[in-house]
Amino acid sequence: ERDCQCEAAAVFAAYSLGLPCFAFQPNALEGAALVLESMGDKPDDNDQFNLQGAMDSLASDAGLLKVLIWLMAPVAMELSKYPQLMASEPRE
């Protein structure tokens, strides 16, 4: 139950913030990869829809805050209900 609540908090936070990674369990490696991908090449004029265009803001201050909120959402949910962290270890 605790694991499901942590995953639900991460999915809800990522979806609400507009991150394209809401299907992934948050970890530092995935967050760093997402920010680095957002710093890549800009979308071409020929592309109708490009995921890169949706991630342009992740290299900014606001984008980094979104990623940090996504990373800490499971920890915040678990701390609000339980005194000891078990399912979401923030040091991982």
Side-chain angles (χ1 to χ4, degrees):
E1 178 182 347
R2 195 181 271 209
D3 287 332
C4 291
Q5 290 174 343
C6 289
E7 289 181 22
V11 168
F12 179 75
Y15 183 78
S16 298
L17 294 169
L19 296 177
C21 61
F22 59 87
F24 300 115
Q25 179 72 17
N27 60 36
L29 180 63
E30 189 63 41
L34 190 66
V35 172
L36 288 176
E37 286 175 11
S38 74
M39 294 171 58
D41 295 331
K42 300 292 180 197
D44 294 336
D45 292 335
N46 299 335
D47 292 342
Q48 293 283 332
F49 176 78
N50 191 336
L51 182 61
Q52 190 70 34
M55 296 191 330
D56 281 341
S57 64
L58 291 183
S60 67
D61 290 341
L64 289 176
L65 285 176
K66 288 180 181 182
V67 172
L68 290 174
I69 290 169
W70 172 62
L71 288 171
M72 294 305 292
V75 177
M77 188 290 311
E78 192 171 13
L79 277 176
S80 71
K81 291 192 166 205
Y82 306 102
Q84 180 73 27
L85 291 178
M86 296 176 96
S88 62
E89 180 60 40
R91 289 172 280 192
E92 288 185 10

